[in-house]
Amino acid sequence: TFTPRTFGYFDSSALYDGIAEIDYRVTLSPGFGTYFVKNERTALSVEIGPGYIYEKTGGERDEYPVFRAAQRLEQKLSATAQFWQSLEYLPEASEFGNYLLSGEAGIEAAINSRFNLRLSAQDKYDSRPPEGIKKNDFILTAGLSINL
C-alpha cells in the first residue's frame, strides 16, 4: 500500500480449459489500484495497468500486450455472511476488438462455527475464441468449506 486508499499490485494467473480448447493462458500484469470505499463492512476497489498474455488456444500459440482494468467489491452482510463481486477487462493493446472479459459474484455464509456454505457464479467471455468454440463460458458453483 502507498496510502490507506492506494496500492500497487502484481496479478498473475494460469488457465487450462480443455472444453474451451485453451491449452494454456498465462496472464501477467503489474499496476496501481485505489479503494473508493474501505471500511470494516465494505471494500470497493479498482485496478489498472499494463499486462501480457501468453496462450495456446485451438492449437495456436499467441502472445500479446494487454491493458488490464479490474473492479472488486466485498461486502460484509453480517458477522457470518459476506458477498463479493469482481469484473476484469483485458483488451489487446493494439486491437481492442480482441479482449477477455470475466466477472464473478458470490455469497458465503456460516452454517455453524466449522462449516460455511458458498455459492458463486462466474462468466468468462472471449471475443475471439478458437473456431467452433462459444464465446461465453458460464460456471455456477456451490460448495461447503470447513474451518480447521
Side-chain angles (χ1 to χ4, degrees), residues 1-117:
T1 58
F2 303 124
T3 71
R5 294 206 179 251
T6 61
F7 57 91
Y9 71 86
F10 182 79
D11 184 68
S12 64
S13 66
L15 171 70
Y16 165 79
D17 187 336
I19 295 172
E21 293 188 23
I22 300 171
D23 294 325
Y24 62 84
R25 177 177 288 141
V26 176
T27 306
L28 306 170
S29 175
F32 297 98
T34 187
Y35 285 98
F36 289 121
V37 178
K38 186 177 180 185
N39 58 46
E40 291 179 12
R41 293 184 45 90
T42 306
L44 173 61
S45 64
V46 295
E47 301 171 356
I48 192 162
Y52 208 82
I53 291 180
Y54 302 89
E55 66 182 2
K56 182 177 179 186
T57 60
E60 294 187 25
R61 295 174 196 233
D62 199 5
E63 60 181 76
Y64 48 92
V66 294
F67 295 113
R68 179 176 182 271
Q71 171 270 325
R72 182 162 180 84
L73 170 67
E74 295 179 8
Q75 177 69 49
K76 192 172 186 179
L77 302 173
S78 70
T80 60
Q82 67 176 350
F83 167 81
W84 72 92
Q85 171 275 325
S86 65
L87 187 63
E88 181 182 55
Y89 175 57
L90 295 164
E92 183 175 353
S94 63
E95 188 178 343
F96 279 84
N98 182 26
Y99 63 91
L100 303 171
L101 181 64
S102 60
E104 178 180 21
I107 190 166
E108 184 171 7
I111 297 171
N112 58 36
S113 63
R114 289 200 48 124
F115 294 97
N116 288 357
L117 183 60

Side-chain angles (χ1 to χ4, degrees), residues 97-140:
N98 182 26
Y99 63 91
L100 303 171
L101 181 64
S102 60
E104 178 180 21
I107 190 166
E108 184 171 7
I111 297 171
N112 58 36
S113 63
R114 289 200 48 124
F115 294 97
N116 288 357
L117 183 60
R118 181 181 180 115
L119 180 65
S120 70
Q122 291 181 341
D123 192 56
K124 296 179 181 181
Y125 182 86
D126 185 343
S127 67
R128 295 195 181 149
E131 190 171 322
I133 300 296
K134 292 181 180 179
K135 292 182 176 189
N136 215 53
D137 191 7
F138 180 78
I139 303 165
L140 181 63

